[in-house]
Structures are given as structure tokens and as C-alpha cells.
Amino acid sequence: MNMIMSTGHTSNEPRLGRLQHVALTTTTPLDEVAEFYANWGLTPVATGGSGSSIAFRGQGSLNHAPHHIVRFSAGEHVGLGHIAFGASSRGAVDALHQRWSGSGVQIRSEPAQLDALGGGYGFDMADPEGRVLRVVTEMETADPVPAGAPLPLAITHVVLNTVDIDLLCAFYVNVLGFAVSDWSEHQMVFLRNGTDHHTIAFNQAPHASVNHIAYELGSVDHFLQSVGRMKSAGTDPLWGIGRHGPGNNAFAYYGDPAGFVPELTADVQQIDEPGWIPRVWQRIPSQSDLWHLAGPPSAAFRAAGAGSPDPNCHPPRWPPSPSNQP
Ligand SMILES: [Fe+2]
């Protein structure tokens, strides 16, 4: 076992900023997806296109109101388009691009003004399994909705299935600057690039795919009201309600018609101690759910979270071979 226990970067180098949005592809008719996410509590955003994609914003908060938080595009398969992270300035975008280019990271596009929903200036790179990460600044923002409604604010984390958890963990920590918050045995690793306990987590699996995407509510009360809203719409969780040990967050996992698992969550543990020491949690019901309500993960949750192999991903390639070095 070779579990990385990094406590994070200490340098003043430019860092990835907050998670902005997730772009997904689906084979499901988009009107079915739109109906589900309207009940979920998201607000449609005009995509200005041909009807081949739909996008939604969250309520946002005063210091974090992305133009949109999730976008679904009609495609030939269910999979990840990209995950977008903010950067503090064009200079930070350029500096991250320069640093990663020099590290042999696969760069998918050079920094430029983006002709994409919400605009901005940024570039795309790929992780060792081919997932596209976008680094973007100066995207349009949404006006935050006045707090108070029990609706999702934004996406707080994405959990990804990987065939090589140690390799992906090493890349996200050593190259991208994430810090390890906790492990769940040698099965899941929780990585942060801000104060939220995890922004990205990896789950060891037979193939690469999206495991789930977590939408944050402003309080546990809003979380419970959202579970109730979904119940009124005829949809119960695949797993939950409960409160996870790692991350301490309330959870309820659902199956959407697009082929993904969205999670309602709240009260995510905040970590701002430079000396944080990761813990290895046991995979037992009492640590998976501190409320002792949820029981072990249901078969339906496990199946939906496994997803199908993402054709946009490939077997891990890292570190780069000497011939790939710039
Ligand atoms: Fe989660």
C-alpha cells in the first residue's frame, strides 16, 4: 500500500481556484434531464445554441456565483466533457499553463479567449486518464439569488472512478497542487484545493467514469427540505439520508435520467489547518454514516455510481515518457 498523505502546497505559486462547473454528455433526451434538474432546484441558463445542450445555474453565494454549474450535451455516450476550475487572473491562467506544459502535462488547448458558454479566458488540459480539466478566469458570473430558499448553491465536489487511485492521487497532489484530506481505506481518496474537505475524490474501480457530483445546500435544514422536494416529485434517494465520516457532510444520492448520480449535501467539513493530518477511515456503516440511518451503500447506488466506461478516458499515462518531455 502506498497511500499519499500530503498536507498540501506551501508555496505562493498560482493555484487552481474554485470548482466552477461540470460539463457532461448524455444519450438521454435533454427535456427529460431538464425536468429532473428543475425538481433538483437548479435554474436553466440560456445556451443560445441549437438545443443540443442545456445548462443550469445554482443559487450561488456572495463570493461564488458561477455563470452555470452544470451543462448536459447530447452525445453518443454518457461521460465527462470537462471539469472547470477558476483562476484568479489571466496571469494565473498563463502561469499554470506554463508550469504544466513544462511538466509534460497533456495540454488540450492554449490559453485564449473562450468561445464557450459564459466566455472567459482559459485553456484545457487532461489528467493521466484523459479527463479534461479547464482552467478559466473572467467567466461571466450569475447574480446570486438572495439566500433563504432551500436550493443548491453550487457544486462542491466531483467523485471520479479510476483504475489507478495511487497514480491519479499522485498527479493531482504533486502536479496540480491538491492536498489529501482523508482516505477511505485504500478505496477512496479525498482531495481539496480550498477549504472544502474535498473538491475531487477518486474511487478505485474497474474503469474510469464519473461516480457522482455533489450539489451543496446552505444548511442541513435546506438539505432535508430538498430531500422532501424530491420525494414530493416522486424520487427517493438511492442511498441516504446520512452523514459521512470523511468530510462530515450530510448526503443523499440519487439517480438522474442522464446516467449520473447527483448528491444533495450540506455542512461539508472545512479544513484550513496547514498541519492537517489525513485519516484513514474504515469502510463500515458506522463510519460511512455517522447518523446510523443509511446503512451500507445500496446495490442501486453502487451500480449507478460505477457508471459505464467513459470513452473519453484511456488507460493511465503518467509520468510522461522521456520522448514526450518538452
Ligand atoms: Fe459526495
Side-chain angles (χ1 to χ4, degrees):
M1 224 182 257
N2 178 31
M3 294 191 284
I4 292 176
M5 293 292 182
S6 166
T7 54
H9 274 209
T10 54
S11 73
N12 293 321
E13 293 175 338
R15 302 276 307 273
L16 276 181
R18 294 189 69 159
L19 201 164
Q20 301 292 310
H21 64 259
V22 180
L24 303 164
T25 58
T26 182
T27 56
T28 304
L30 294 179
D31 54 352
E32 290 180 37
V33 181
E35 183 179 354
F36 178 91
Y37 281 95
N39 291 329
W40 194 249
L42 304 186
T43 303
V45 171
T47 55
S50 57
S52 60
S53 76
I54 52 174
F56 300 91
R57 58 162 296 183
Q59 278 202 112
S61 51
L62 281 180
N63 59 1
H64 186 54
H67 175 271
H68 61 282
I69 61 173
V70 67
R71 181 177 189 175
F72 296 90
S73 297
E76 301 292 311
H77 63 267
V78 174
L80 179 68
H82 64 258
I83 304 173
F85 288 89
S88 58
S89 65
R90 289 186 177 224
V93 169
D94 292 342
L96 288 168
H97 170 264
Q98 185 174 25
R99 187 204 304 166
W100 293 338
S101 299
S103 303
V105 172
Q106 191 184 150
I107 302 295
R108 293 286 180 93
S109 67
E110 298 299 311
Q113 194 69 35
L114 300 178
D115 181 22
L117 187 66
Y121 174 86
F123 69 98
D124 289 353
M125 49 82 72
D127 79 9
E129 284 181 313
R131 290 179 200 87
V132 175
L133 305 184
R134 174 167 295 174
V135 183
V136 61
T137 192
E138 297 178 4
M139 272 192 76
E140 295 171 40
T141 54
D143 292 329
V145 176
L151 303 171
L153 305 175
I155 291 176
T156 175
H157 65 252
V158 182
V159 175
L160 301 161
N161 296 314
T162 176
V163 301
D164 191 338
I165 195 169
D166 293 313
L167 186 147
L168 269 294
C169 176
F171 179 86
Y172 276 70
V173 168
N174 297 329
V175 179
L176 303 188
F178 283 74
V180 176
S181 291
D182 282 315
W183 285 82
S184 175
E185 297 185 0
H186 197 194
Q187 177 64 43
M188 289 185 72
V189 62
F190 300 90
L191 304 172
R192 70 184 185 279
N193 73 321
T195 58
D196 284 1
H197 176 271
H198 53 291
T199 311
I200 296 288
F202 283 101
N203 177 54
Q204 179 69 38
H207 58 251
S209 57
V210 177
N211 183 285
H212 71 263
I213 297 168
Y215 296 78
E216 184 170 25
L217 282 298
S219 66
V220 172
D221 197 61
H222 285 183
F223 162 81
L224 289 171
Q225 289 181 60
S226 296
V227 173
R229 182 176 62 250
M230 293 303 292
K231 186 178 182 67
S232 297
T235 307
D236 286 323
L238 300 180
W239 185 36
I241 61 171
R243 184 189 279 276
H244 284 311
N248 198 44
N249 54 310
F251 67 86
Y253 297 95
Y254 292 79
D256 80 4
F260 298 95
V261 174
E263 175 189 3
L264 293 170
T265 194
D267 216 14
V268 178
Q269 180 180 7
Q270 299 296 298
I271 299 177
D272 52 13
E273 308 164 35
W276 173 261
I277 297 173
R279 169 177 172 180
V280 181
W281 293 79
Q282 288 181 274
R283 297 179 68 77
I284 55 176
S286 63
Q287 296 198 355
S288 295
D289 174 21
L290 302 177
W291 287 341
H292 295 232
L293 289 173
S298 67
F301 166 72
R302 287 182 179 279
S308 51
D310 191 332
N312 290 340
C313 290
H314 52 64
R317 297 178 200 146
W318 187 265
S321 64
S323 60
N324 288 339
Q325 292 281 12

